[in-house]
Every structure is written in C-alpha cells, then in structure tokens.
Amino acid sequence: MARKTEKVIIYAIIILIAALLLKGCGGIWLRLLGPSPESAMVKYLEKKYDEDVTCLKTYGLDSGYMVSGGTQGEFISNKHPELTFKCSAYGEGIWTYKFYDDYQVNFYQNDVQNVMKENAEKYFSGEYYVVADVGISDPDTVEAMSFEEYVKRYDRYCVLIYVFDMSDEEACDAMQKFVADVEKQGFQYTFYLGRNVEFEKEDFIELIYDKDFSPWYKGVEWIYYKRLPDKEGAEEPEIYIITEEKE
C-alpha cells in the first residue's frame, strides 16, 4: 500500500513539473531550448520563397493592445541582393511563432511603379514623379504569388504622384482619370497627388524615393487623395479633391 502511495505521489510530482515547464516560468526554459526567433524566421522565409536569405539584424517589438511583444528582423535576399525586407515573429506557444513579412510587397515594388508610370504618361504633362510606396506586411497565411496575383490584391501599395508644372485644376483632373484607369485594370490602391512646398527641388526629388521619407505631416501640399479603408468593403474610400485654385 505504501509503494502504491509513493507511485501516486511520484506521478503527481511528474505531472506538476510538466505543467510548470509548459506554463509559467518553467516555459522560459523550454523556449530557450527551442528555435530562436531569428532562426525560425530564416527557416520560414526560405521555405516560403524557396531561396536563401541572410538576417542583417533583429530587435525586439514592444507589446501593444492585445498583442504580445515579438521580434523583428531585417533581411536580404541572397538570390536578389538588391532586395531588403522585414519579417516579424510573435510567439504563439512552445516553439511556435506567428510570422509577418513584407518580402513580396517589396519584391514587386519597382514593377508596380513602372506600371503606374506608364499609365500616368497618358494623363500628366510637364515634370512629375510617380512613387509606389509600400507599408503592409503579409501574415504567414498569404502564400507566395505571381506578380499578376499579388499586385491585384487589395491595398498593397500607396501610389503617390508629385507634380511641378501643372496647375492644381489640371493635375487634379489628370489624377482622377489616372485613378479611374488603373482601378479599371484591377489595381485597388490608395492614391495621393501633391506638390512640394518646403524642400529644395533637388532634395525633394531625392527624398521621395527614400523608404524612410514621410511626406504626410510636412513638405507636401495635397491636391487629391483617395484613401482606402483598412478592410475591403468595410466602408467607402475617403476622397479629397481640391475644388479651386489657391491664390
């Protein structure tokens, strides 16, 4: 009877230890023994895109509303060394992660920009610049896609056109025709039209192609924009159209 009691106690201790390892402070040790966020991201990216990648650096992400902290890495494609992108990993349990990456949106950026330039040539005149801006990461539920499949997805890019020579009225009319044309082709993006009001011209032209340039709060006067809601069909796009020439 004593031995039976001892066995029960031993089994109870084993179950308790296992529970502590799977939850609470003990889980830290299991996570330490598992794959690091960096190695997990590399494995995820290489499997998804069938190529080798190199992690340049990683840094922690703070926790937010209903979101636990994670790790973000900056990567370079070994097959396409000019391509840099980011990937984030959020722990979902023991040795498992939820991933987000912006590989595809960056991979197709230049091609999208060229398509937008070709269409803009039909409507704009004088000196102007077209920029396809990126900013959305894909969850790991989004598969690798062809150019045609990916760029026709909802709100993958923000297309900005900066004019220098056209009047506000002419530019706004051209922009509305341009937006209607590319939307008819299946591109569902957010569109902005503006002009430089702060920077030296040469500096501004260089800045607009910099990934870190943010024109939203200064430097640009907006003539038109069509801003899509976060979710397709959730509400109507927000549209701003200048109605008259400024004095």
Side-chain angles (χ1 to χ4, degrees), residues 124-130 161-167 171 193-195 201-202 204-205 208:
F124 290 88
S125 61
E127 187 176 7
Y128 64 92
Y129 296 87
V130 180
I161 298 182
Y162 303 101
V163 293
F164 284 87
D165 300 329
M166 301 177 76
S167 68
L193 171 68
R195 65 171 79 251
K201 184 177 180 180
E202 292 76 15
F204 181 74
I205 294 170
I208 61 177

Side-chain angles (χ1 to χ4, degrees), residues 217-245:
Y217 302 111
K218 67 174 186 177
V220 177
E221 178 181 69
W222 299 114
I223 305 169
Y224 167 102
Y225 61 74
K226 182 174 185 179
R227 209 155 39 204
L228 296 182
D230 293 337
K231 293 184 180 180
E232 185 174 8
E235 54 188 286
E236 291 297 315
E238 180 185 354
I239 299 176
Y240 167 80
I241 301 174
I242 196 167
T243 56
E244 60 183 15
E245 285 287 311

